[in-house]
Amino acid sequence: MVTILSRTPRLSDFAFVHTAAYVEVEDVFRSESFGRTHDAETKMRRANRELEQVEETRTTGRPKPSANFKRSSGRAGGWLEEPRESRETVRAILNAATESMLLLDASGTVLALNQTTAKRLGKSADELIGRYIFDFLPPSVAAARRARLDEVVRSGQPAQFEDERQGMFFEHKLLPVFDERGKVVRVAVCGQEITERKHTQQRQAEALELNRAILATSTVGIMAYRATGQCVFANEAAGLIVGASVEQLLQQNFRQNPDWREHGLLQMAEEALRTRKMRRGEIHGATTFGKELWLDCQMVPFVSGGELHLLVLNCEITNQKRAEEVLRGFSRRLRRAQDEERRHLARGLHDSTAQKLAAVNMNLGRLKHLVAGTDPAVRNLVGDIAALVEDCSKEVRTLSYLLHPPLLDQLGLPAACRSYLEGFSKRSGVRVRLDVPDDLGRLPASAELALFRVLQEALANIQRHSGSKTASIRLTRAANRVVLKVSDRGRGISAAVLRDVAQGFGGPGLGLLSMRERVDQLGGRLEIESGTKGTTLVATLPLPVRH
Ligand SMILES: Nc1ncnc2c1ncn2[C@@H]1O[C@H](COP(=O)(O)OP(=O)(O)O)[C@@H](O)[C@H]1O
Ligand SMILES: [Mg+2]
């Protein structure tokens, strides 16, 4: 016979698995809300009555119900038809649970428990049953849990709480069990160790806190938008950069923002969303207060909650852009001053020094006549001086030419190129093919000088770096532009130098950079194509349309 809701338990009744207790425990644990614990008890009583009937049937010799019948009878608690087996099953289930399960009376005396509880408390079931549970807990924990139990007994309400014991975290559920008069007579306790979960939560909370701190203190404006265009997140910096509040940004829908369309941001956003790839660009605009603004803008698509979003990172680069502009202005002025200085020097050398040397040469010619037939030592000396003067005048002419070819101003680019190339080939041993249409005509002086300097620098690089023995130059003119193409068949420019030049840094020297700046300054562009088979440099300058 099975005892139900025994008030005066003997130890054997509770020995590790007390069937009645487990019926209760199981039903109580199965009931999800406390309101159903009454049902659970009613069910349990019914189950017990059925059990008694089954036992009676057995003893009066009536045929046992078939296994089939047992399975299909569908009655609640049908498994109780085999009490011993049922007990074993319940015992196994409860002992297999990783949660600790306990049945206490209203004062905290242990009535039943599973193995997990015994293990967790480091005691055997026999040591625990019939004892006051709080004696096995550290005093600080015991007091708090005692208060929880009292509260459940007093209120008849289930409770759920977490606490910490010796560095481990537990989550407890307390469910009251009532007698017929509705008084709480027992409390089922289910405890679960949640240390790992707690640590994970802690780590997550720390990571979130770090994220929050980064977002709040970052000087990069960070915004997130739905693909529909609605802003769902903006940090302080995002607002500060554009001169808006975070609230204003949160009301923004980029698809309805004319600024986004005007500054190419909308197109960037659409591309990023369509290709699912990061897009980056520099944006020039103005803040809401009309202050000039340069942004380095990155757009990164990401998925959140199964929905496509766009992360926008704005880095303000207005000061950097201004500094670059100032620097460009300086280097423009420096180049202009350099060009003027060169022109001035070239003219001085050509018009004055070279003329004077020519005069010295003429005088030396006369001196030669005067000293003819005199001391041979004097004649030789005059001869040496004449040779030196001749060298000097050649050097002065070359120097003047390199500084600024007089032909450039007088006869224009093709003539200056031709005469420059002659000297260059002689000096360097590089054969150069020049291809210029007869009707190229004159170009604006600034364009002629810029192209001449590009040519000069390109040829110097071919001689110094390429290892090529040949070069070819082609000048072409269309209605609105002039194109200079300089190619060699040398070893090519390294990728690192090309990257530096593309980003506006100097390479090892300043030649390529200065070519680019000269061309940029006139609104043109410089393209460099380089590989192991050689280098081709293309400088394109816009021209005013000829009428
Ligand atoms: N035609 C070329 N062939 C091979 N390498 C070149 C060529 N032109 C330039 N380079 C490489 O690019 C570098 C940068 O050239 P440049 O800016 O003119 O500076 P510099 O001539 O003073 O070194 C050179 O040092 C060289 O390594
Ligand atoms: Mg160079």
Side-chain angles (χ1 to χ4, degrees), residues 456-458 460-462 464-465 509-512 515:
Q456 236 180 340
E457 183 59 47
N461 278 351
I462 291 174
R464 281 176 62 198
H465 308 299
L510 290 173
L512 291 173
M515 284 188 231

Short mmCIF file of all heavy atoms in Angstrom, two decimals, residues 456-458 460-462 464-465 509-512 515, ligand 2:
data_model
loop_
_atom_site.label_atom_id
_atom_site.label_comp_id
_atom_site.label_asym_id
_atom_site.label_seq_id
_atom_site.Cartn_x
_atom_site.Cartn_y
_atom_site.Cartn_z
N GLN A 456 60.28 65.90 -69.65
CA GLN A 456 61.63 65.95 -69.12
C GLN A 456 61.81 64.96 -67.96
O GLN A 456 62.74 64.17 -67.94
CB GLN A 456 61.87 67.37 -68.56
CG GLN A 456 63.05 68.04 -69.15
CD GLN A 456 63.24 69.45 -68.54
OE1 GLN A 456 62.31 70.03 -67.97
NE2 GLN A 456 64.42 69.98 -68.69
N GLU A 457 60.85 64.99 -67.02
CA GLU A 457 60.94 64.13 -65.84
C GLU A 457 60.77 62.66 -66.23
O GLU A 457 61.47 61.78 -65.72
CB GLU A 457 59.85 64.56 -64.84
CG GLU A 457 59.84 63.81 -63.53
CD GLU A 457 61.16 63.92 -62.76
OE1 GLU A 457 61.67 65.05 -62.64
OE2 GLU A 457 61.66 62.88 -62.31
N ALA A 458 59.84 62.40 -67.17
CA ALA A 458 59.61 61.03 -67.59
C ALA A 458 60.86 60.47 -68.26
O ALA A 458 61.25 59.32 -68.00
CB ALA A 458 58.43 60.97 -68.55
N ALA A 460 63.93 61.50 -67.78
CA ALA A 460 64.97 61.35 -66.76
C ALA A 460 64.77 60.02 -66.02
O ALA A 460 65.72 59.29 -65.73
CB ALA A 460 64.92 62.52 -65.79
N ASN A 461 63.49 59.69 -65.72
CA ASN A 461 63.19 58.42 -65.03
C ASN A 461 63.54 57.22 -65.90
O ASN A 461 64.04 56.21 -65.41
CB ASN A 461 61.71 58.36 -64.65
CG ASN A 461 61.44 59.12 -63.36
OD1 ASN A 461 62.38 59.56 -62.68
ND2 ASN A 461 60.17 59.29 -63.03
N ILE A 462 63.25 57.34 -67.19
CA ILE A 462 63.56 56.23 -68.10
C ILE A 462 65.07 55.98 -68.07
O ILE A 462 65.53 54.85 -67.95
CB ILE A 462 63.06 56.52 -69.52
CG1 ILE A 462 61.52 56.48 -69.52
CG2 ILE A 462 63.61 55.51 -70.53
CD1 ILE A 462 60.87 56.90 -70.83
N ARG A 464 67.24 56.92 -65.69
CA ARG A 464 67.77 56.54 -64.38
C ARG A 464 67.27 55.20 -63.89
O ARG A 464 67.99 54.46 -63.23
CB ARG A 464 67.39 57.60 -63.34
CG ARG A 464 68.27 58.83 -63.40
CD ARG A 464 67.79 59.87 -62.42
NE ARG A 464 67.86 59.40 -61.04
CZ ARG A 464 67.20 59.98 -60.03
NH1 ARG A 464 66.41 61.00 -60.27
NH2 ARG A 464 67.32 59.52 -58.82
N HIS A 465 65.99 54.87 -64.14
CA HIS A 465 65.39 53.72 -63.46
C HIS A 465 64.97 52.56 -64.35
O HIS A 465 64.92 51.43 -63.88
CB HIS A 465 64.14 54.15 -62.68
CG HIS A 465 64.34 55.32 -61.77
ND1 HIS A 465 65.22 55.29 -60.72
CD2 HIS A 465 63.78 56.56 -61.75
CE1 HIS A 465 65.19 56.47 -60.09
NE2 HIS A 465 64.33 57.25 -60.71
N GLY A 509 61.13 59.56 -54.64
CA GLY A 509 61.50 60.91 -55.05
C GLY A 509 60.25 61.75 -55.24
O GLY A 509 59.17 61.39 -54.78
N LEU A 510 60.37 62.86 -55.92
CA LEU A 510 59.22 63.75 -56.09
C LEU A 510 58.79 63.87 -57.55
O LEU A 510 57.83 64.57 -57.85
CB LEU A 510 59.56 65.14 -55.54
CG LEU A 510 59.70 65.21 -54.03
CD1 LEU A 510 60.19 66.59 -53.61
CD2 LEU A 510 58.36 64.92 -53.35
N GLY A 511 59.52 63.19 -58.44
CA GLY A 511 59.26 63.35 -59.86
C GLY A 511 57.83 63.03 -60.27
O GLY A 511 57.13 63.88 -60.84
N LEU A 512 57.39 61.81 -59.95
CA LEU A 512 56.05 61.37 -60.36
C LEU A 512 54.98 62.25 -59.72
O LEU A 512 54.00 62.63 -60.36
CB LEU A 512 55.82 59.91 -59.98
CG LEU A 512 56.66 58.88 -60.77
CD1 LEU A 512 56.49 57.49 -60.19
CD2 LEU A 512 56.26 58.88 -62.23
N MET A 515 54.85 65.59 -61.38
CA MET A 515 54.16 65.48 -62.68
C MET A 515 52.66 65.50 -62.45
O MET A 515 51.91 66.18 -63.14
CB MET A 515 54.47 64.13 -63.34
CG MET A 515 55.83 64.04 -63.95
SD MET A 515 55.90 62.47 -64.86
CE MET A 515 57.40 61.80 -64.21
MG MG B 2 62.47 61.01 -61.19
#
